[in-house]
Amino acid sequence: AKWMDGAADAMGDGEDKEEAEEAQATEGAPDATQKSASEEENEARTKISSHKDKIAKMQANLDALPDDKLVYASLVGKTLEKKVGEFKYKVTFFTSAMQDHTSLGRWSKWTGRATAEFDHGTMCWGGPERKMLIAFQCGVEEALLDVLEPSRCVYEGVVSHPGACEQKDLDELVEGTRVVGVRDEL
């Protein structure tokens, strides 16, 4: 009967109609749990940037260690500390050297078989930029043994490291026949 057409809608099946209208309105609209394409793109760009930073850091570490210096690879990113007098010295290899909160320089270069340099530190009062020279000496442990300031704003650090050992030194260390110097005992 034609007169019954639409009677169901008029008699209270309105709930179904409302649900259908809501479903139709939200259909095609992004769900709150779904990410927009621009959000996903931003996340991807952030990850790419982070990975590029890690690659640059790794490349800098590789560049700091030429083939003939690979024996010092255990120092990559390592910080050695020593309190000398009233100052605390921190040397973070292939990055920076500090005297308390004062920069003694950024990693610069190897200057010899067992010597290195940090330069372009904080400017001294009316003088040159600070720099720190490192002299490696044969030792079983990695340690910052001493720091001196032999001339104004130039610091010299002594670092013990197995990489500085000659084969003869290593044999003596292993056998326990190496003579300990007076300075080593202090």
Side-chain angles (χ1 to χ4, degrees), residues 87-120:
F87 299 108
K88 182 177 183 180
Y89 294 90
K90 288 171 52 171
V91 179
T92 302
F93 278 91
F94 315 115
T95 306
S96 65
M98 302 288 290
Q99 177 193 54
D100 291 327
H101 298 287
T102 303
S103 171
L104 300 181
R106 308 233 12 107
W107 172 258
S108 176
K109 62 188 174 192
W110 292 97
T111 56
R113 188 187 81 70
T115 56
E117 179 179 274
F118 292 83
D119 63 8
H120 300 296

Side-chain angles (χ1 to χ4, degrees), residues 14-181:
E15 287 178 17
D16 291 338
K17 186 177 179 182
E18 287 174 13
E19 288 175 11
E21 285 174 1
E22 279 182 34
Q24 189 175 16
T26 59
E27 190 177 285
D31 186 341
T33 59
Q34 292 178 334
K35 294 181 184 177
S36 71
S38 63
E39 288 174 330
E40 287 183 15
E41 179 185 6
N42 287 339
E43 284 180 15
R45 288 184 188 275
T46 301
K47 286 180 182 178
I48 288 170
S49 177
S50 173
H51 288 295
K52 283 183 179 179
D53 291 345
K54 287 178 185 177
I55 289 169
K57 209 177 249 187
M58 287 178 184
Q59 187 62 49
N61 287 339
L62 286 173
D63 293 344
L65 283 171
D67 290 346
D68 64 328
K69 302 293 189 257
L70 288 177
V71 293
Y72 296 101
S74 64
L75 290 173
V76 172
K78 183 171 270 185
T79 300
L80 302 179
E81 298 181 13
K82 174 86 172 177
K83 185 161 177 66
V84 178
E86 61 187 84
F87 299 108
K88 182 177 183 180
Y89 294 90
K90 288 171 52 171
V91 179
T92 302
F93 278 91
F94 315 115
T95 306
S96 65
M98 302 288 290
Q99 177 193 54
D100 291 327
H101 298 287
T102 303
S103 171
L104 300 181
R106 308 233 12 107
W107 172 258
S108 176
K109 62 188 174 192
W110 292 97
T111 56
R113 188 187 81 70
T115 56
E117 179 179 274
F118 292 83
D119 63 8
H120 300 296
T122 303
M123 187 71 91
C124 279
W125 178 257
E129 293 176 327
R130 289 175 171 85
K131 72 177 183 178
M132 183 172 208
L133 307 172
I134 299 291
F136 290 94
Q137 76 176 33
C138 179
V140 176
E141 296 179 10
E142 300 162 344
L144 179 59
L145 300 176
D146 199 7
V147 178
L148 306 168
E149 187 179 3
S151 61
R152 187 166 179 256
C153 302
V154 177
Y155 300 81
E156 291 182 357
V158 179
V159 173
S160 69
H161 190 276
C165 299
E166 297 290 333
Q167 187 60 47
K168 175 181 77 79
D169 298 325
L170 289 173
D171 293 342
E172 290 174 354
L173 285 171
V174 169
E175 293 171 8
T177 59
R178 181 171 184 218
V179 176
V180 178

